[in-house]
Amino acid sequence: MSDAPLKDFPVVVPFTLHWSEMDAFGHANNARTFTWFESSRIAYFARVGLTGPSGAGEDRTPGGIGPILAATSAEYLRPVVFPARLVAGTRVTRIGTSSITIEHAVAGEDDGVLYTRGGCTIVTLRYATHEKVPVPAPIRASIEALEGRSFTP
């Protein structure tokens, strides 16, 4: 995929479109896009150590700090139809004081056709108190290492 639209995305997750993901109009339901974005985003977070507390309340990062989705968007460029092998990519475009801006894209695994692009804003949150906190320095450093560049707040 060196010439593919996702070549500059450090985390790319492959998956197959299932027949059940199609809607009455004969293409993948638009809501699936956000699941594909999420799968890639969570893989990215695992790579940089931003896994947050577990559903059972177990702290996985110092201080119980984890990501929470603040906003998300998608731009549908062309319909995805069955059968399809897809890849979803995630990259960080900005790190603020307590937020991370992410870009997502979904493309065909074999042909590189770009189907959807979008983004989201993640806020780093102390889950126990529901307070917004600064992006932890080790997380910022991990993102910078993965992206191969530095971000200034």
Side-chain angles (χ1 to χ4, degrees):
M1 270 189 32
S2 63
D3 294 327
L6 275 62
K7 67 179 173 48
D8 294 327
F9 286 71
V11 174
V12 176
V13 176
F15 53 94
T16 300
L17 177 69
H18 297 102
W19 180 258
S20 63
E21 295 172 313
M22 304 284 283
D23 64 19
F25 297 107
H27 55 75
N29 184 281
N30 65 313
R32 298 306 304 157
T33 294
F34 292 103
T35 301
W36 301 333
F37 286 176
E38 176 186 58
S39 294
S40 182
R41 184 171 60 245
I42 296 304
Y44 189 104
F45 289 164
R47 290 270 305 270
V48 300
L50 187 59
T51 55
S54 73
E58 169 193 348
D59 284 348
R60 294 183 182 162
T61 56
I65 295 168
I68 193 160
L69 185 65
T72 188
S73 65
E75 180 183 1
Y76 303 95
L77 305 173
R78 61 187 308 153
V80 179
V81 296
F82 184 87
R85 287 279 308 153
L86 304 168
V87 287
T90 294
R91 65 181 168 194
V92 167
T93 60
R94 180 184 170 277
I95 303 174
T97 302
S98 60
S99 66
I100 301 167
T101 305
I102 291 175
E103 182 180 353
H104 294 294
V106 175
E109 183 177 53
D110 297 327
D111 59 12
V113 170
L114 187 60
Y115 290 102
T116 311
R117 62 179 166 227
C120 69
T121 302
I122 297 296
V123 171
T124 45
L125 188 79
R126 186 177 319 282
Y127 273 78
T129 60
H130 303 286
E131 67 181 301
K132 185 169 55 169
V133 297
V135 175
I139 299 300
R140 180 182 294 274
S142 291
I143 292 170
E144 290 177 341
L146 181 60
E147 296 285 345
R149 60 193 173 104
S150 63
F151 295 87
T152 55

